[in-house]
C-alpha cells in the first residue's frame, strides 16, 4: 500500500513516541507499505516547528534526514482539481493533489478537514483506523 503521511502524523509521532500516531507512522514506513510525503508537507513541518517548537528545529532536521531515507518525496502539483473542493481547508488541498499524483492508496491523517470529507480515493484514514488494517 502506498501511504501519504500528513503533517499532523509527523508532529504527533514526534511529540508522543508511544502514541497511536507514532505506531501508525512506523507501520506506514515499514514494508510492505510504501510511504510518501510531498514537499508541501515538509515545508509545513518546518513552518509548524518554527511556530510551536522553535528550539526543536535541529531535532526536526535530524529526524527528516533519517525519515526521508525511507519515505519517498514527491512534488506537489500546482494545477487544481475540481474534486479537491471537497476539502474545506484550502491549505490542505495541495496535499490531496500530491496524494493523487503519487497514486497513494491511503492518506494517513488526524485532520478533520480530510477525515470528514467525501473523498473516496485515496482512502483518508486516521492513525487508529490505520492500525486496524
Amino acid at each position: 500500500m502506498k501511504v501519504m503521511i500528513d503533517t499532523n502524523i509527523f508532529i504527533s509521532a514526534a511529540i508522543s513516541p508511544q502514541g497511536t500516531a507514532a505506531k501508525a507512522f512506523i507501520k506506514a514506513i515499514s514494508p510492505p507499505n510504501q510511504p510518501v510525503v510531498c514537499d508541501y508537507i515538509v515545508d509545513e513541518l518546518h513552518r509548524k516547528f518554527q511556530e510551536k517548537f522553535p528550539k526543536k528545529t535541529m531535532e526536526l532536521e535530524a529526524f527528516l534526514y533519517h525519515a526521508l531515507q525511507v519515505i519517498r518525496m514527491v512534488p506537489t502539483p500546482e494545477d487544481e482539481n475540481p474534486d479537491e473542493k471537497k476539502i474545506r481547508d484550502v491549505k490542505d488541498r495541495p496535499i490531496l493533489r500530491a496524494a493523487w499524483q503519487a497514486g497513494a492508496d491511503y492518506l494517513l491523517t488526524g485532520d478533520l478537514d480530510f477525515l470528514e470529507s467525501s473523498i473516496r480515493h485515496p482512502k483518508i484514514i486516521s492513525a487508529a483506523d490505520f492500525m486496524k488494517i
Side-chain angles (χ1 to χ4, degrees), residues 10-63:
F10 278 96
I11 293 172
S12 295
I15 291 171
S16 182
Q18 303 304 318
T20 303
K23 291 174 186 169
F25 178 84
I26 296 299
K27 181 177 179 178
I29 67 169
S30 299
N33 294 320
Q34 301 168 13
V36 291
V37 68
C38 63
D39 52 1
Y40 183 89
I41 289 172
V42 172
D43 290 345
E44 190 173 50
L45 271 169
H46 284 107
R47 282 193 309 275
K48 294 288 184 187
F49 265 74
Q50 281 291 359
E51 289 171 22
K52 297 179 180 194
F53 315 106
K55 295 180 180 178
K56 300 274 187 186
T57 55
M58 292 288 283
E59 288 89 340
L60 171 65
E61 292 305 321
F63 173 77

Side-chain angles (χ1 to χ4, degrees), residues 24 69 74 85:
Q69 303 294 318
V74 298
K85 292 186 175 145

Side-chain angles (χ1 to χ4, degrees), residues 66-110:
H66 293 289
L68 293 176
Q69 303 294 318
V70 295
I71 301 173
R72 185 169 67 104
M73 175 111 81
V74 298
T76 305
E78 291 187 26
D79 294 337
E80 294 181 11
N81 181 314
D83 285 340
E84 71 187 55
K85 292 186 175 145
K86 294 176 181 176
I87 302 294
R88 291 183 298 240
D89 188 348
V90 296
K91 293 179 185 175
D92 289 334
R93 293 175 184 174
I95 296 167
L96 181 60
R97 266 184 254 142
W100 281 330
Q101 182 166 313
D105 299 300
Y106 289 93
L107 173 56
L108 178 59
T109 186

